[in-house]
């Protein structure tokens, strides 16, 4: 496998010896591959010091070509002679082949400038034939709980591309913050993007970071992120949560909440603040026509910013106590002829399912949206284990598998006391590597509804990019191999072989400055007293 991550489908050695790249090596881009050539010059060219001109007199060249006979994201990388070829079934396939070329050049090809200028570069004389197992190879990044500045998001898109991941699930809104500018509703960011403080520690004895926390992306920031992702053949799927996980929006526009209940409880006019703690807020959107019109306006601007086929609407963890206590919500339920509050939530999700479908988009939501039925085009993110995904696929819905038991990367990697802010279950590198996205209970026809899988990185306890790195890597590399490579059954996977290849891959991660968790054990952690180094709310340490 030449220490490649993710492992390719086939590698054959063409001949002994090494192929050489030098200052005379030219890079020739066939029709449709111009963007890949720009990326190669900007990254590999910058790291190696090679100019990679489009024309020249030397025999050595790298040729990029689209070959429709190859699978859409498949590629063929042939390095046996002076005419090196990267062919793909599409520009995306050529790009994934270019990522493999970069890995073969070694860790220094991942730097931003040459560390040994003037050297020539060598490649093994091999042919790599490869294609992905799944079309959806995703990473969710939660920027609502802890905001990640734009440069950090762009960095993670580069890291995704380096691992051949192609869907970025952008979790933009939640109780603790609203992160995307909506021009017609400016208070969503003026008020909803900032909270007064942040909670750490146990429920019984919480600790507080008393500094305000917040931030948001302007619409031009979003356009830049989406364009940057597209250059790397990554689709950005936005998530705007409804009807739960919406306290930040209600703080900005109190009329979105159940004002009769809130006023009766002493919050005049329904006033709330952006939530400063974790868990599930009891404050949810009111099921009114005005709320629907408000969010239609939000989604109209979201659709202008994000061209993705899918739009994620959340739909999870909607506590219904306010609806039960609200005379207005109960009157609305009866008016709609609904039996209970569960059906009221289904009505809410169903409205936006139809609204998005009418505009040529597809709704996707967490597996709670199955409760009450879905329109045929809607898809499900199965996070509460595999059961939601199984039920959705059997009902004919497309599924993205992301069970918290295996691919929630905010969960701790070790049960020792040195693991920083441990939450959730222990999920080791091996646990992730043995994840199987397609449940064996599905028939072949049902299994075709599994679009792929996604690793989720929530940020309640992940306050900056160094902690995101520590939680994500090396487990994200294992996940990338699961969703790209045609691996055997989980029990038969070569964990030792993967870890051996990772020994080389750590050098690549070092070169781009990823603060991964070392394979030998927890990294010594510099804690801020009273803030880091203590468990936050979550399942018991050994559950």
């Amino acid at each position: 496998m030449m220490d490649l991550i993710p492992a390719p489908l086939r590698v054959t050695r063409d001949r002994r010896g090494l192929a050489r790249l030098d200052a005379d090596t030219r890079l020739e881009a066939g029709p449709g591959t111009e963007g890949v050539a720009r990326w190669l010059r900007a990254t590999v060219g910058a790291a190696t010091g090679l100019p990679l001109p489009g024309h020249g007199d030397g025999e050595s060249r790298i040729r990029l070509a689209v070959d429709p006979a190859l699978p859409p994201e498949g590629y063929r990388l042939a390095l046996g002679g002076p005419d090196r070829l990267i062919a793909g079934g599409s520009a995306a396939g050529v790009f994934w082949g270019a990522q493999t070329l970069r890995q073969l050049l070694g860790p220094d090809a991942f730097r931003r400038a040459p560390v040994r200028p003037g050297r020539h570069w060598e490649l093994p004389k091999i042919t790599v034939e490869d294609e992905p197992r799944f079309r959806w190879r995703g990473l969710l990044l939660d920027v609502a709980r802890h905001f990640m500045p734009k440069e950090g998001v762009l960095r993670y898109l580069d890291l995704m591309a380096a691992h051949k991941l192609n869907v970025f699930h952008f979790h933009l809104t939640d109780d603790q913050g609203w992160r995307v500018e909506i021009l017609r509703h400016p208070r969503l960011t003026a008020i909803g993007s900032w909270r007064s403080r942040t909670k750490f520690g146990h429920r019984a004895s919480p600790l507080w970071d008393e500094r305000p926390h917040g931030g948001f992306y302007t619409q031009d920031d979003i356009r830049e992120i989406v364009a940057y992702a597209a250059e790397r053949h990554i689709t950005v799927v936005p998530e705007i949560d409804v009807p739960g996980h919406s306290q930040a929006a209600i703080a900005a526009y109190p009329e979105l909440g159940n004002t009769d209940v809130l006023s009766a409880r002493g919050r005049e006019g329904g006033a709330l603040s952006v939530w400063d703690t974790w868990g599930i807020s009891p404050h949810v959107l009111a099921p009114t026509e005005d709320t629907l019109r408000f969010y239609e306006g939000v989604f109209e601007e979201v659709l202008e910013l994000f061209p993705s086929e899918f739009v994620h609407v959340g739909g999870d963890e909607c506590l219904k106590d306010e609806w039960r206590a609200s005379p207005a919500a109960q009157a609305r339920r009866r008016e709609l002829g609904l039996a209970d509050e569960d059906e009221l939530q289904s009505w809410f999700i169903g409205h936006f399912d139809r609204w998005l479908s009418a505009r040529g988009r597809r709704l996707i939501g967490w597996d709670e949206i199955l409760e009450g039925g879905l329109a045929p085009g809607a898809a499900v993110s199965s996070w509460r284990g595999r059961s939601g995904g199984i039920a959705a696929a059997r009902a004919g819905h497309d599924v993205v598998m992301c069970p918290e038991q295996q691919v929630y990367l905010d969960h701790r990697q070790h049960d020792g006391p040195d693991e920083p802010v441990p939450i959730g279950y222990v999920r080791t590198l091996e646990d992730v590597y043995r994840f199987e996205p397609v449940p064996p209970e599905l028939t072949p026809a049902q299994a075709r509804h599994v679009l792929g899988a996604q690793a989720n990185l929530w940020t309640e306890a992940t306050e900056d990019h160094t902690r995101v790195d520590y939680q994500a890597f090396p487990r994200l590399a294992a996940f990338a191999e699961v969703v790209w490579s045609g691996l055997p059954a989980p029990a038969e996977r070569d964990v030792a072989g993967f870890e051996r290849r990772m020994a080389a891959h750590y050098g690549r991660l070092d070169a781009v400055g990823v603060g991964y968790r070392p394979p030998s054990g927890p990294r010594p952690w510099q804690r801020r007293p009273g803030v880091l180094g203590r468990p936050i709310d979550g399942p018991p340490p050994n559950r």
Side-chain angles (χ1 to χ4, degrees):
M1 296 301 181
M2 309 297 297
D3 294 330
L4 296 172
I5 303 286
L9 193 61
R10 283 181 297 278
V11 178
T12 56
R13 183 170 288 278
D14 295 338
R15 63 188 72 178
R16 295 191 180 279
L18 297 170
R20 176 173 170 145
L21 303 183
D22 55 30
D24 293 326
T25 301
R26 62 189 188 274
L27 177 62
E28 298 181 0
T33 69
E34 295 86 357
V36 182
R38 284 194 300 272
W39 178 86
L40 276 167
R41 292 189 179 103
T43 54
V44 174
T48 60
L50 301 179
L52 299 175
H55 302 281
D57 298 328
E59 292 185 1
S60 176
R61 69 172 178 170
I62 301 170
R63 187 162 52 91
L64 310 179
V66 172
D67 181 355
L70 294 170
E73 287 191 274
Y75 67 89
R76 183 174 184 269
L77 173 63
L79 303 174
D83 184 9
R84 293 112 194 176
L85 172 68
I86 308 176
S90 65
V94 178
F95 182 72
W96 304 132
Q99 292 287 354
T100 299
L101 176 74
R102 189 187 191 191
Q103 287 198 21
L104 290 168
L105 285 167
D108 285 347
F110 286 76
R111 298 188 181 277
R112 296 194 178 191
V115 294
R116 284 178 287 280
R119 63 179 285 194
H120 67 270
W121 295 74
E122 294 176 335
L123 291 162
K125 293 183 177 180
I126 60 173
T127 296
V128 181
E129 297 171 289
D130 202 8
E131 64 179 284
R133 181 184 178 192
F134 293 107
R135 60 172 275 203
W136 188 299
R137 308 181 301 278
L139 172 68
L140 175 145
L141 183 62
D142 167 21
V143 296
R145 273 52 176 267
H146 278 101
F147 178 68
M148 180 177 283
K150 180 188 68 178
E151 288 302 319
V153 174
L154 300 179
R155 175 176 176 267
Y156 257 80
L157 291 169
D158 281 330
L159 289 170
M160 288 179 65
H163 293 84
K164 299 183 173 73
L165 299 173
N166 69 341
V167 178
F168 180 54
H169 181 160
F170 208 6
H171 184 79
L172 288 164
T173 74
D174 217 296
D175 299 308
Q176 296 85 2
W178 184 286
R179 306 296 180 212
V180 56
E181 179 184 34
I182 302 298
L183 297 177
R184 71 190 73 186
H185 301 307
R187 295 208 305 269
L188 286 172
T189 47
I191 295 172
S193 70
W194 284 89
R195 60 176 179 267
S196 61
R197 60 179 186 170
T198 299
K199 191 186 99 164
F200 294 86
H202 294 292
R203 285 190 183 92
S205 56
L207 303 166
W208 298 91
D209 182 346
E210 296 290 349
R211 296 172 298 179
H213 177 85
F216 67 94
Y217 309 102
T218 67
Q219 293 204 354
D220 280 345
D221 290 337
I222 294 292
R223 292 185 182 96
E224 180 182 357
I225 288 167
V226 170
Y228 194 86
E231 289 175 349
R232 286 145 184 80
H233 300 276
I234 295 171
T235 299
V236 183
V237 174
E239 180 177 355
I240 305 294
D241 269 288
V242 296
H245 287 289
S246 298
Q247 185 166 330
I250 298 169
Y253 292 92
E255 63 270 22
L256 295 174
N258 297 281
T259 54
D260 51 354
V261 174
L262 293 170
S263 296
R265 294 174 180 172
R267 296 184 178 274
E268 185 162 350
L272 292 172
S273 59
V274 178
W275 215 23
D276 58 10
T277 189
W278 315 125
I280 307 172
S281 170
H283 305 301
V284 301
L285 298 174
T288 67
E289 288 297 321
D290 287 344
T291 301
L292 297 183
R293 300 293 87 75
F294 182 98
Y295 271 87
E296 286 171 1
V298 169
F299 281 116
E300 282 178 3
E301 295 192 28
V302 167
L303 296 191
E304 291 174 0
L305 296 169
F306 297 93
S308 56
E309 174 187 4
F310 288 97
V311 175
H312 208 292
V313 300
D316 63 315
E317 297 180 327
C318 178
L319 301 183
K320 303 177 178 67
D321 294 341
E322 280 190 350
W323 286 351
R324 294 186 185 98
S326 166
Q330 289 302 309
R332 180 66 162 157
R333 178 185 63 77
R334 291 190 294 270
E335 174 189 338
L336 295 168
L338 304 176
D340 54 26
E341 291 74 26
D342 290 339
E343 290 191 6
L344 191 57
Q345 180 180 357
S346 295
W347 164 82
F348 203 109
I349 296 298
H351 173 85
F352 287 104
D353 190 353
R354 294 185 294 274
W355 190 91
L356 289 168
S357 294
R359 288 154 181 81
R361 306 296 185 94
R362 294 179 64 186
L363 179 145
I364 185 169
W366 303 109
D367 53 54
E368 287 95 330
I369 68 172
L370 282 167
E371 299 160 7
L374 283 178
V380 170
S381 301
S382 184
W383 75 275
R384 296 179 300 176
R386 301 182 311 159
S387 59
I390 292 170
R394 286 174 173 169
H397 295 288
D398 288 338
V399 177
V400 176
M401 297 299 293
C402 48
E404 63 171 331
Q405 296 84 352
Q406 289 176 284
V407 291
Y408 268 40
L409 300 185
D410 52 311
H411 287 197
R412 57 209 175 102
Q413 302 175 70
H414 189 265
D415 61 1
D418 293 329
E419 193 74 359
V421 196
I423 64 170
Y425 310 91
V426 174
R427 289 294 169 253
T428 65
L429 182 66
E430 180 175 347
D431 290 332
V432 175
Y433 194 66
R434 295 195 188 278
F435 167 55
E436 173 48 51
V438 179
E441 296 91 333
L442 297 180
T443 67
Q446 294 165 349
R448 284 194 285 273
H449 285 290
V450 179
L451 301 178
Q454 178 174 287
N456 294 344
L457 212 168
W458 305 99
T459 60
E460 289 93 335
T462 309
E463 73 285 349
D464 56 34
H465 86 270
T466 59
R467 280 298 315 282
V468 173
D469 281 4
Y470 185 91
Q471 295 302 123
F473 289 98
R475 293 183 295 182
L476 190 62
F479 173 80
E481 184 148 310
V482 167
V483 291
W484 177 277
S485 306
L487 296 178
E492 300 170 8
R493 291 180 186 170
D494 183 6
V495 177
F498 172 75
E499 291 179 337
R500 178 190 58 76
R501 285 182 286 114
M502 278 301 300
H505 197 62
Y506 288 123
R508 302 172 189 131
L509 297 179
D510 286 333
V512 292
V514 174
Y516 55 84
R517 184 183 189 276
S520 58
R523 185 185 297 254
W525 202 259
Q526 298 299 318
R527 300 182 178 92
R528 284 184 285 150
V531 177
L532 295 181
R534 296 171 182 251
I536 72 161
D537 302 336
N542 294 314
R543 193 168 83 182

